[in-house]
Amino acid sequence: MNADLVVVGSGLFGLTVAERAANELGLKVAIIDRRHHIGGNAYSEREDRTGIEVHRYGAHLFHTSNERVWEYVNRFTEFTGYVHKVYTRHQGEVFPMPINLGTINQFFRGAYSPGEARALIQEQAGELAGTDPQNLNDKGIQLIGRPLYEAFIKHYTAKQWQTSPEELPASIITRLPVRYTYDNRYFNDKYEGLPVDGYTAWLERMAAQPNIEVHLNTDFFDDSQEFSKANVVGQVPVVYTGPVDRYFDYAEGDLSWRTIDLEEEVLEIEDFQGCSVMNYPDADVPFTRIHEFRHFHPERDYTKDATVIMREFSRFAEKGDEPYYPVNTSVDRQKLLKYRDLAAGESSVLFGGRLGTYKYLDMHMAIGAALSMFDNKIAPHFSGGNKIESGGIDA
């Protein structure tokens, strides 16, 4: 085996670890991925008919306030000046999101000042003031009042989780942001944008190093291939970014995940909705949102004869589905404790990324966590001889 380090999964976490190990330490790194492409869920490609860049696994928006992460990613790509703004279509009317002064004035057909709007929401939220809500529904009402909650949050959340908000824990929404200005930027981070040449070009540059070999269509659990779990664990250090329960063959039970189904359509018009993302919070609409990808790159000279949209449906993942988001129930957390103990008993295996740690991580968070793993685990081992303490799962 011609590798000093094996990285399982070529998402942003795995690519960051591999790139640092190859460029900073001169290690020979083998990246394996069961998919036919690198980049994990951040992978994008041009739609054949229109040439419009499509995010194959749902919209990915890069944003961060982490100076180190921002400096790092700019080594591989420049970013556009794109600022993400979301709109929501409720009962045949379009409102700006997140809830802001514009949303409030439009919804209540008023012209409230910031102070007046704040007082209005406080009054409506007073319905459950002084109580200790135990479910998401009551917590949402306590935070922003019943009218706004039921219009924009209740049914959207039910579709996302495929569960009534009355049955979801209040901890899911510890806060609901309301801006008492007309600022409808979706993110508050210092830096924001989309990679100028697209996500795949960025990710391919991270792997474009002579010491990195990428093996696609390669399953870590297929013992017939060189870099299988049976062949590498205990032989070389491994960074594993796949589902943690799958690593242990579900020995402590299946963890719960949410996944999404995406329905793509090419339309014979220049512009379908006038924005990149439109939410659909009403209960009678089965999907949660529609992406229109031409709006992510208005600087590009896309065709005016057609556009690409993608409807997003949310559901619980089953075996064989792509897991996206950890559900993280109390039962899941008990299982994760057991998986954490199993992980600590492995031989030089580090678990990382959203799937490997059973944590929701935005892209910048995954990169930051990978840089920390390199600094604290991988570099000390290869440069200073420190033993790799297996694990990386918190519960």
Side-chain angles (χ1 to χ4, degrees), residues 155-165 167-168 258-259 286 288 313-316:
H155 303 297
Y156 190 87
T157 301
K159 289 191 287 187
Q160 275 191 316
W161 291 88
Q162 295 295 292
T163 304
S164 169
E167 299 174 16
L168 292 169
R258 283 192 301 122
T259 190
T288 55
F313 302 79
S314 181
R315 62 179 173 84
F316 285 109

Coordinates of all heavy atoms in Angstrom, one line a residue, residues 155-165 167-168 258-259 286 288 313-316:
H155 N -45.6 25.0 9.3 CA -45.8 24.0 8.3 C -44.5 23.7 7.6 O -44.2 22.6 7.2 CB -46.9 24.4 7.4 CG -48.2 24.7 8.1 ND1 -48.9 23.7 8.7 CD2 -48.9 25.8 8.2 CE1 -50.0 24.2 9.3 NE2 -50.0 25.4 9.0
Y156 N -43.6 24.8 7.4 CA -42.3 24.6 6.8 C -41.5 23.6 7.6 O -40.9 22.6 7.1 CB -41.6 25.9 6.7 CG -40.3 25.8 5.8 CD1 -40.4 26.0 4.5 CD2 -39.1 25.6 6.4 CE1 -39.3 25.9 3.7 CE2 -37.9 25.6 5.7 CZ -38.0 25.7 4.3 OH -36.9 25.7 3.5
T157 N -41.5 23.8 9.0 CA -40.8 22.9 9.9 C -41.4 21.5 9.8 O -40.6 20.5 9.8 CB -40.8 23.4 11.3 OG1 -40.3 24.7 11.3 CG2 -40.1 22.5 12.2
A158 N -42.7 21.4 9.8 CA -43.3 20.0 9.7 C -42.9 19.3 8.5 O -42.7 18.1 8.5 CB -44.8 20.2 9.8
K159 N -42.8 20.0 7.3 CA -42.3 19.4 6.1 C -40.9 19.0 6.2 O -40.5 17.9 5.7 CB -42.6 20.3 4.9 CG -44.1 20.5 4.6 CD -44.3 21.2 3.2 CE -44.0 22.7 3.3 NZ -44.3 23.4 2.1
Q160 N -40.1 19.8 6.8 CA -38.6 19.5 6.9 C -38.4 18.3 7.7 O -37.6 17.4 7.4 CB -37.9 20.7 7.6 CG -37.5 21.8 6.6 CD -36.5 22.8 7.3 OE1 -36.8 23.2 8.5 NE2 -35.5 23.1 6.7
W161 N -39.1 18.2 8.8 CA -38.9 17.1 9.8 C -39.9 15.9 9.6 O -39.7 14.9 10.3 CB -39.0 17.6 11.2 CG -37.9 18.5 11.6 CD1 -37.8 19.9 11.4 CD2 -36.6 18.1 12.2 NE1 -36.6 20.3 11.8 CE2 -35.8 19.3 12.3 CE3 -36.1 16.9 12.6 CZ2 -34.5 19.3 12.9 CZ3 -34.8 16.9 13.1 CH2 -34.1 18.1 13.3
Q162 N -40.9 16.1 8.7 CA -41.9 15.1 8.5 C -42.5 14.7 9.9 O -42.9 13.5 10.1 CB -41.3 13.9 7.8 CG -40.8 14.1 6.4 CD -42.0 14.5 5.5 OE1 -42.8 13.7 5.2 NE2 -42.0 15.7 5.0
T163 N -42.7 15.7 10.7 CA -43.2 15.4 12.1 C -43.9 16.7 12.5 O -43.5 17.8 12.2 CB -42.0 15.2 13.1 OG1 -41.3 14.1 12.6 CG2 -42.6 14.9 14.5
S164 N -45.1 16.5 13.2 CA -45.8 17.7 13.7 C -44.9 18.5 14.7 O -44.3 17.9 15.5 CB -47.1 17.2 14.4 OG -47.7 18.3 15.1
P165 N -44.9 19.8 14.6 CA -44.1 20.6 15.5 C -44.5 20.3 17.0 O -43.7 20.5 17.9 CB -44.4 22.0 15.1 CG -44.7 21.9 13.7 CD -45.5 20.6 13.5
E167 N -44.8 17.6 18.3 CA -44.1 16.4 18.7 C -42.6 16.6 18.6 O -41.9 15.6 18.9 CB -44.5 15.2 17.8 CG -46.0 14.9 17.9 CD -46.4 13.8 16.9 OE1 -45.5 13.1 16.4 OE2 -47.6 13.7 16.6
L168 N -42.1 17.7 18.2 CA -40.7 18.0 18.1 C -40.3 18.7 19.4 O -41.0 19.6 19.9 CB -40.4 18.8 16.9 CG -40.5 18.1 15.5 CD1 -40.4 19.1 14.4 CD2 -39.5 17.0 15.4
R258 N -32.1 12.8 8.3 CA -33.0 13.3 7.3 C -32.2 13.4 6.0 O -31.0 13.5 6.0 CB -33.5 14.7 7.7 CG -34.5 14.7 8.8 CD -35.2 16.1 8.9 NE -34.3 17.2 9.2 CZ -34.1 18.3 8.5 NH1 -34.8 18.4 7.4 NH2 -33.3 19.2 8.9
T259 N -33.0 13.3 4.9 CA -32.4 13.4 3.6 C -33.3 14.2 2.8 O -34.4 14.7 3.2 CB -32.3 12.0 3.0 OG1 -31.5 12.1 1.8 CG2 -33.7 11.3 2.6
P286 N -46.2 20.3 -1.2 CA -45.4 19.2 -0.7 C -43.9 19.4 -0.5 O -43.3 18.8 0.3 CB -45.7 18.1 -1.7 CG -46.0 18.8 -3.0 CD -46.8 20.0 -2.5
T288 N -40.4 21.9 0.1 CA -40.1 23.0 1.1 C -39.6 24.2 0.3 O -39.8 25.4 0.8 CB -38.9 22.5 2.0 OG1 -37.8 22.1 1.3 CG2 -39.5 21.4 2.9
F313 N -37.6 18.3 -1.5 CA -38.5 17.6 -0.6 C -37.7 17.0 0.5 O -36.6 16.4 0.3 CB -39.3 16.4 -1.4 CG -40.1 16.8 -2.6 CD1 -39.5 17.1 -3.8 CD2 -41.5 17.0 -2.5 CE1 -40.2 17.5 -4.9 CE2 -42.2 17.3 -3.6 CZ -41.6 17.6 -4.8
S314 N -38.2 17.1 1.7 CA -37.5 16.6 2.9 C -38.2 15.3 3.4 O -39.4 15.3 3.4 CB -37.4 17.6 3.9 OG -36.7 17.2 5.1
R315 N -37.4 14.3 3.9 CA -38.0 13.2 4.5 C -36.9 12.5 5.4 O -35.7 12.8 5.3 CB -38.6 12.2 3.5 CG -37.5 11.7 2.5 CD -38.1 10.7 1.5 NE -37.2 10.3 0.5 CZ -36.3 9.3 0.6 NH1 -36.2 8.6 1.8 NH2 -35.5 9.0 -0.3
F316 N -37.4 11.5 6.2 CA -36.5 10.7 7.0 C -35.7 9.7 6.0 O -36.3 9.2 5.1 CB -37.2 9.9 8.0 CG -37.6 10.7 9.2 CD1 -39.0 11.0 9.4 CD2 -36.7 11.2 10.1 CE1 -39.4 11.7 10.5 CE2 -37.1 11.9 11.2 CZ -38.5 12.2 11.4

